Amino acid sequence: MGIFINILTFSIILAITYLSKRDYEATKNEFLEMENNFNMLRNKLEEQILEVNTSNNELKTLNIELIKAKNKLEELSNYRGRFIANMSHELRTPLNAIIGFSHILLMQPDFGISEEEKNNLIKTIHNSGKKLLNIINNILDLSDLKQDIMEPNPKYIDIAPSLEALSSTAKGLLKDNRSILLNIKLKNIYPNVYADEKALNKVLTHILENAVKYTKKGEISIYTEEDEERLYIVVSDTGIGMTEDELKRVFEPFTKMLINDQPISLSEGVGIGMPISKYLMEKMSGDLLVESKKDYGTIVKIVLKKEPIDE
């Protein structure tokens, strides 16, 4: 009987041990499965968090782009307003002169004014007409740029004709001006440069006219500099110069400068000559550099790419 009880007890212990081991294995498997499910959920959650962060970053980028676009539209709107205000003023002035002085000549063809006064009136009408034509040409140039009509067609060209034309134009503009000394230092031989001759001449003429316009007395110099890859045509003057703020905005459309507190735009009132010149130079793989100091003058460098020398 005692042996039977011992055997029964041992059997029960074995059964309990087996069942405990089986429950442990089952429980362990359940925990492993739960851990795997947890890891899967965690990975999905991390993926969703990453997607949310990516979406947030995309939204932030889109928001920044929208802000930039909004600012650009506001800037264009401001340019439009400035252009209209500027144009109405600049067109009204010569038109009033033409209408007013021509009316005087019509009303008093043979008496009331001297011959000298009559000639002065005719000269004023003529100059006002030229100013109107220049304004209209600038507007057409701006329109051509917007429609890609005035795109330069650069190639390697001889720079000598353009420099000769610049020199002749400078002498013509200053031939009767004894307050300004013209200093021209050009070489006889230059390397070919990458440019569109017509576009380059337009830029050179504009830069020269600016120098003459803003220099009442002193000196205007025209010379060249070179490095291994570039040719620099330099036009410097001892005119009114620009403040740091004016210099920062010199390539903005419709920029104004001040002479004796009277606004004068960079291209006879329209203010697009410098932006157009910058645009043309960049399209010819060149550049337009400006240095200036108020009351000391301005230095403009027209940068051109030289033709490589075959070795």
Side-chain angles (χ1 to χ4, degrees):
M1 186 66 177
I3 294 173
F4 175 77
I5 292 173
N6 288 336
I7 292 172
L8 180 60
T9 302
F10 180 73
S11 298
I12 292 171
I13 292 171
L14 284 175
I16 292 172
T17 302
Y18 171 76
L19 290 173
S20 298
K21 184 177 181 181
R22 191 180 64 177
D23 290 343
Y24 170 76
E25 291 294 334
T27 304
K28 180 181 178 182
N29 290 334
E30 288 177 1
F31 273 112
L32 288 174
E33 186 177 356
M34 290 174 63
E35 183 181 4
N36 290 334
N37 289 336
F38 175 78
N39 288 334
M40 289 176 62
L41 289 172
R42 185 182 65 181
N43 291 337
K44 287 183 178 180
L45 180 61
E46 289 177 349
E47 289 177 0
Q48 289 178 353
I49 291 173
L50 181 61
E51 289 178 0
V52 170
N53 288 336
T54 302
S55 298
N56 284 338
N57 290 334
E58 290 176 352
L59 286 173
K60 288 179 181 177
T61 302
L62 180 60
N63 190 44
I64 292 171
E65 293 300 322
L66 287 173
I67 292 173
K68 288 181 179 179
K70 175 178 173 290
N71 292 338
K72 188 65 177 178
L73 285 173
E74 289 178 351
E75 183 181 2
L76 290 173
S77 178
N78 290 335
Y79 281 156
R80 178 178 175 273
R82 289 165 61 188
F83 176 78
I84 292 172
N86 203 357
M87 284 301 304
S88 63
H89 170 74
E90 294 299 331
L91 290 173
R92 189 184 297 115
T93 301
L95 278 173
N96 284 338
I98 292 172
I99 294 170
F101 293 140
S102 60
H103 178 72
I104 293 174
L105 292 175
L106 288 171
M107 295 298 294
Q108 302 179 9
D110 299 319
F111 59 90
I113 57 174
S114 66
E115 191 67 26
E116 182 180 357
E117 289 174 327
K118 183 185 294 185
N119 289 334
N120 287 335
L121 291 176
I122 294 172
K123 186 177 180 180
T124 301
I125 293 172
H126 176 73
N127 290 336
S128 297
K130 287 174 63 177
K131 183 175 182 180
L132 276 176
L133 179 61
N134 191 48
I135 291 172
I136 292 168
N137 285 337
N138 279 321
I139 295 171
L140 290 174
D141 285 345
L142 182 61
S143 176
D144 288 347
L145 282 180
K146 295 294 184 183
Q147 301 178 49
D148 293 334
I149 296 175
M150 203 170 66
E151 288 291 300
N153 183 27
K155 59 185 178 181
Y156 287 109
I157 62 170
D158 181 7
I159 191 66
S162 294
L163 292 175
E164 291 173 4
L166 178 64
S167 177
S168 298
T169 302
K171 292 174 182 176
L173 289 173
L174 297 172
K175 66 178 181 179
D176 297 324
N177 193 326
R178 297 184 179 181
S179 300
I180 301 176
L181 174 65
L182 179 61
N183 183 20
I184 301 176
K185 293 182 180 179
L186 299 174
K187 300 192 301 184
N188 294 325
I189 300 176
Y190 284 100
N192 289 344
V193 296
Y194 190 69
D196 179 305
E197 187 172 359
K198 182 179 179 181
L200 176 59
N201 289 343
K202 184 177 184 66
V203 173
L204 292 174
T205 300
H206 176 73
I207 299 304
L208 175 62
E209 288 177 346
N210 269 356
V212 174
K213 186 192 306 181
Y214 296 117
T215 305
K216 298 305 178 184
K217 62 179 180 179
E219 182 177 333
I220 293 177
S221 298
I222 300 172
Y223 56 95
T224 58
E225 298 174 348
E226 290 185 58
D227 58 29
E228 291 184 0
E229 298 180 350
R230 305 281 177 176
L231 173 68
Y232 303 84
I233 303 173
V234 185
V235 178
S236 69
D237 64 66
T238 58
I240 64 171
M242 289 179 276
T243 64
E244 290 185 5
D245 183 58
E246 288 169 339
L247 186 58
K248 289 177 183 177
R249 297 183 292 110
V250 71
F251 295 121
E252 293 181 9
F254 319 123
T255 297
K256 286 284 193 174
M257 294 177 66
L258 295 174
I259 297 181
N260 297 327
D261 296 325
Q262 297 299 316
I264 295 182
S265 62
L266 290 178
S267 59
E268 289 296 320
V270 184
I272 59 174
M274 290 299 283
I276 287 176
S277 297
K278 179 78 168 178
Y279 173 88
L280 292 174
M281 292 310 304
E282 289 178 347
K283 285 293 183 179
M284 296 186 290
S285 300
D287 204 352
L288 196 62
L289 308 177
V290 181
E291 302 172 16
S292 189
K293 187 175 181 181
K294 190 66 175 177
D295 299 325
Y296 284 88
T298 301
I299 299 174
V300 180
K301 294 185 178 183
I302 297 93
V303 186
L304 295 159
K305 184 172 69 173
K306 291 162 59 174
E307 184 174 19
I309 301 174
D310 296 329
E311 297 182 357

